[in-house]
Structure formats: C-alpha cells, structure tokens
Amino acid sequence: MDFGNSTLLDNSGWFISIEIELVQKIAKFIYGFVALLGIPGNSISIYFLSMKEKLRKDIGSIADLMLSLSVVDFVTSFLMIPMYILRDEITELINRPVLCQLIFSTYIFWGFSATSAYHISFIAFDRYFAICRPIFYRQVWNKRKTSTILIVLAFCIGFFVSVWWIPVCYEMHVLSTPKEDDTISIHY
C-alpha cells in the first residue's frame, strides 16, 4: 500500500498520508513571501527612525525600541528566513558539523523571532504606561536608559527562551531521516 512520501501514525492509531515535499514547498513559499515583505518594510523603518532626528524626538523613548525591533525583523527577513529556507543547500556547502547543527537546529531563527515578540510586548508596556500612568512614565519609563535595558532584556529573554529548539530540532532531524523506502517516521 502506497502512502505517498511518508506515513505518520496519529493518536487514534490510523495512518495518515502526508506529502512532505508539498508541505515543505508551501512553507518555503510562505516564508519567502514574508521575507520579501519584511526586507523593504523594515528598511524604511530603519531609515526613518535612525536618520530623522525630529521623528525620534516626537516619538520619544519608544523610538529606540521601534528601531531595535526593525533591525531584528530586518535581520530575520534578510538572513534568517533565507537561511531557514535554504538550510539543506547550506548544510551541503558547509562541511563543519557544529555549524551545520546550529543552522539546522533553527536556534538563531527562533531566537530572533522570540526577540521580536518581546520587543512588541515591551512596546505595548511602554504605551500602557504612557497612557494609564503618565506621571510614572515621565519620571521613570521615559528615560533612554530604560529603553536600553528593555532592548537588552528582549534579546536575552528571546534567545534564552529559544534554547530548547537546539535539542528538539536536532532530535527531529535524527529521528526523521528518510529510510530506504522514502518514508519518514516521526517519533515523539
């Protein structure tokens, strides 16, 4: 009986046929589309937030957080997403096991993604305090030192939270290697 490229066993015990190559192509197309939108959009944000002093003064301390978010999203769109899409081709070109494992684990990709999410959370907190606690915001939050601490905190938390991707993705790679009959068994 032919089940396509792979056979998976679901929770009820039934076999599900999934065309792995089709799903991977669709995912790569979606990631590529996001990267193509992210590169020019974040480039424009970086330009205006770094070059226009009047805009930075009008926005206030949130400008540093927005600039950092734009840089993180630009790096993700320009480097991490293409590296994630082309990881099979990259691992063939690079003959260094440790570097290949780091690229294949997608730790850097998910680290930047989590960092981006924490930047957005801190921007939301900034706006909350600016609107609901304006006196506290002017005294404490509205200082450049506070935004610098939040940026460093976003990077630290984002990459710390993503540490679990290193063994999980590497294990999925080892356990999901294709067998001779072109089937892939994914073990949980």
Side-chain angles (χ1 to χ4, degrees), residues 35 71-82 109 112-113 116:
V71 169
V72 167
D73 288 346
F74 178 80
V75 168
T76 303
S77 299
F78 188 71
L79 294 176
M80 298 300 116
I81 290 178
F109 174 75
F112 273 99
S113 298
S116 179

Side-chain angles (χ1 to χ4, degrees), residues 3-179:
F3 288 104
N5 287 356
S6 66
T7 305
L8 300 176
L9 187 63
D10 69 356
N11 293 337
S12 63
W14 293 93
F15 286 101
I16 302 171
S17 174
I18 296 179
E19 296 288 335
I20 296 283
E21 290 179 20
L22 178 65
V23 172
Q24 288 175 342
K25 286 180 182 177
I26 291 171
K28 287 180 179 184
F29 174 77
I30 292 170
Y31 281 130
F33 184 72
V34 168
L36 287 176
L37 290 177
I39 292 169
N42 288 303
S43 298
I44 292 168
S45 296
I46 291 169
Y47 171 75
F48 281 108
L49 288 171
S50 62
M51 299 296 181
K52 306 293 184 182
E53 281 299 318
K54 184 177 181 328
L55 179 66
R56 289 181 65 84
K57 288 179 183 176
D58 291 343
I59 295 175
S61 68
I62 196 170
D64 295 332
L65 280 168
M66 290 174 63
L67 180 62
S68 179
L69 173 64
S70 296
V71 169
V72 167
D73 288 346
F74 178 80
V75 168
T76 303
S77 299
F78 188 71
L79 294 176
M80 298 300 116
I81 290 178
M83 195 166 82
Y84 186 69
I85 291 172
L86 302 172
R87 69 179 175 205
D88 295 332
E89 291 80 6
I90 291 172
T91 52
E92 289 175 11
L93 292 174
I94 302 171
N95 196 13
R96 306 270 189 268
V98 174
L99 189 57
C100 287
Q101 288 176 2
L102 184 64
I103 291 170
F104 194 80
S105 73
T106 65
Y107 169 70
I108 299 171
F109 174 75
W110 291 112
F112 273 99
S113 298
T115 301
S116 179
Y118 282 103
H119 273 86
I120 293 170
S121 299
F122 291 147
I123 289 171
F125 282 124
D126 181 84
R127 295 296 85 201
Y128 168 78
F129 284 112
I131 294 168
C132 297
R133 307 276 192 260
I135 296 172
F136 172 77
Y137 182 78
R138 278 188 230 113
Q139 291 174 347
V140 177
W141 200 275
N142 201 16
K143 297 192 165 91
R144 191 172 187 98
K145 181 181 174 184
T146 306
S147 62
T148 305
I149 290 170
L150 291 177
I151 291 168
V152 170
L153 194 62
F155 274 97
C156 291
I157 294 172
F159 278 94
F160 179 74
V161 166
S162 300
V163 165
W164 73 278
W165 273 103
I166 294 173
V168 169
C169 290
Y170 180 70
E171 238 179 84
M172 288 294 289
H173 170 63
V174 170
L175 295 175
S176 65
T177 51
K179 298 178 183 172

